[in-house]
Amino acid sequence: MSEEDDIILSELDDEELVQQMFDDLYDGLKEEIEEGVNILLERKWMPYDILTKALVGGMTIVGADFRDGILFVPEVLLAANAMKGGMFILKPLLAETGAPRVGKMVIGTVKGDIHDIGKNLVSMMMEGAGFEVVDLGINNPVENYLEALETEAPDILGMSALLTTTMPYMKVVIDTLVEQGIREDYIVLVGGAPLNEEFGKAIGADAYCRDAAVAVETAKDFVSRKHNQLSA
Ligand code: B1M
């Protein structure tokens, strides 16, 4: 029997349990995360506190280690999957208790491109940070983005591309927003392995995000600036 098997989550006090959940999230242990969430709910924690203190707290550590090259894609996908398990329990409760939402993002991989692992990671991390995410999936023509922007009214439009042949399509989408006079209505964030900051600037995006952790930080930064401008 491993050391992990000896830990009985319900016997830990709140602080120890949250620390253990950080470890379990890091290790991608979905069932343990679900159990931890349920225990905290039984202990009358607010769903929003469980989300921010236990899940997002843990995912922040995962995000930082991913950015620093300590964790790799398979581990992050497992952690994200464990996080999704906890989120799934909290989602309906959060809607009920009206937890403040950080913002909303529509995201999709551009036309001609079927790579979605990175985009999915970004979506999960954004959800974990409190954003509502509408994921358009892969191979999206400009029409899909336009329709989603109109129906979903997000703060952010996110686009992903993994091929040098598909990344120019991001400019097609941004140019269309400009033509329609709606470019300034949205924060446009782009990402994907072949992109860089220079490309992001050249196509008229607000920012290029090199990874999911940067995407979350950049999104938070832009949304809070937008809200400050609106309230000024
Ligand atoms: Co393809 N593929 N692939 N592939 N594939 C690459 C991209 C490639 C670099 C491999 C290579 O040759 N070395 C190469 C592109 C070369 C180029 O364009 N110069 C390539 C090729 C050529 C192809 C095909 C054309 C192969 C063929 O059929 N001959 C074909 C194209 C299909 C198509 O899209 N039309 C193809 C197909 C596939 C698979 C289907 C087999 C599979 C995709 C499975 C899937 O996604 N469901 C696949 C894979 C897995 C890869 C590699 C190996 C891995 C990509 C990945 O998932 N990385 C890739 C090689 C590589 O990138 N080193 C490769 C992990 C992921 C977490 O990272 O996607 O970069 P990434 O996402 C990061 C950041 O970029 C950022 O955050 C993420 C998380 O930190 N980010 C965003 C991404 N999107 C963002 C959006 C944002 C913000 C941040 O918005 C706000």
Side-chain angles (χ1 to χ4, degrees):
M1 189 183 270
S2 76
E3 217 175 276
E4 287 292 308
D5 294 327
D6 292 329
I7 298 170
I8 298 173
L9 295 180
S10 58
E11 289 179 355
L12 302 177
D13 68 28
D14 284 10
E15 202 177 315
E16 289 166 342
L17 178 58
V18 169
Q19 282 303 324
Q20 185 58 41
M21 287 174 73
F22 286 179
D23 290 349
D24 289 344
L25 199 73
Y26 200 91
D27 294 336
L29 302 175
K30 187 178 177 195
E31 281 177 20
E32 282 77 356
I33 288 299
E34 289 166 345
E35 191 186 340
V37 167
N38 282 324
I39 293 170
L40 290 174
L41 283 171
E42 278 161 22
R43 293 183 189 174
K44 305 289 175 220
W45 273 49
M46 295 298 288
Y48 182 67
D49 287 341
I50 302 174
L51 175 71
T52 51
K53 292 182 184 154
L55 298 184
V56 177
M59 209 57 185
T60 305
I61 303 169
V62 172
D65 278 4
F66 182 46
R67 187 192 52 223
D68 297 342
I70 298 164
L71 285 181
F72 296 96
V73 173
E75 291 137 334
V76 178
L77 283 174
L78 278 176
N81 189 44
M83 168 116 188
K84 278 221 149 180
M87 293 278 300
F88 186 76
I89 299 169
L90 294 175
K91 231 176 189 173
L93 303 170
L94 284 167
E96 267 171 32
T97 51
R101 211 188 55 198
V102 181
K104 186 173 184 179
M105 176 176 76
V106 160
I107 189 169
T109 302
V110 297
K111 186 177 170 182
D113 202 320
I114 63 166
H115 294 85
D116 69 355
I117 297 173
K119 168 188 67 60
N120 293 348
L121 263 178
V122 172
S123 297
M124 288 182 194
M125 297 276 285
M126 291 285 288
E127 281 179 353
F131 283 86
E132 184 183 344
V133 176
V134 179
D135 188 342
L136 304 180
I138 55 174
N139 193 23
N140 283 288
V142 63
E143 294 78 16
N144 288 9
Y145 292 108
L146 291 176
E147 194 187 328
L149 293 177
E150 197 179 333
T151 53
E152 302 292 342
D155 304 289
I156 301 167
L157 168 63
M159 289 187 277
S160 181
L162 263 288
L163 299 171
T164 46
T165 48
T166 57
M167 57 193 248
Y169 197 77
M170 293 175 162
K171 184 166 179 337
V172 173
V173 177
I174 293 175
D175 285 351
T176 308
L177 297 183
V178 173
E179 275 162 28
Q180 300 205 352
I182 55 173
R183 168 65 187 87
E184 296 312 317
D185 296 349
Y186 308 101
I187 298 156
V188 179
L189 304 181
V190 294
L195 280 64
N196 58 30
E197 212 159 323
E198 206 181 352
F199 175 79
K201 279 198 189 117
I203 62 168
D206 288 299
Y208 152 72
C209 309
R210 79 167 179 275
D211 59 30
V214 170
V216 168
E217 288 315 312
T218 310
K220 278 187 194 164
D221 185 37
F222 272 94
V223 167
S224 74
R225 276 196 254 163
K226 182 179 162 184
H227 290 168
N228 287 343
Q229 273 168 10
L230 290 176
S231 59

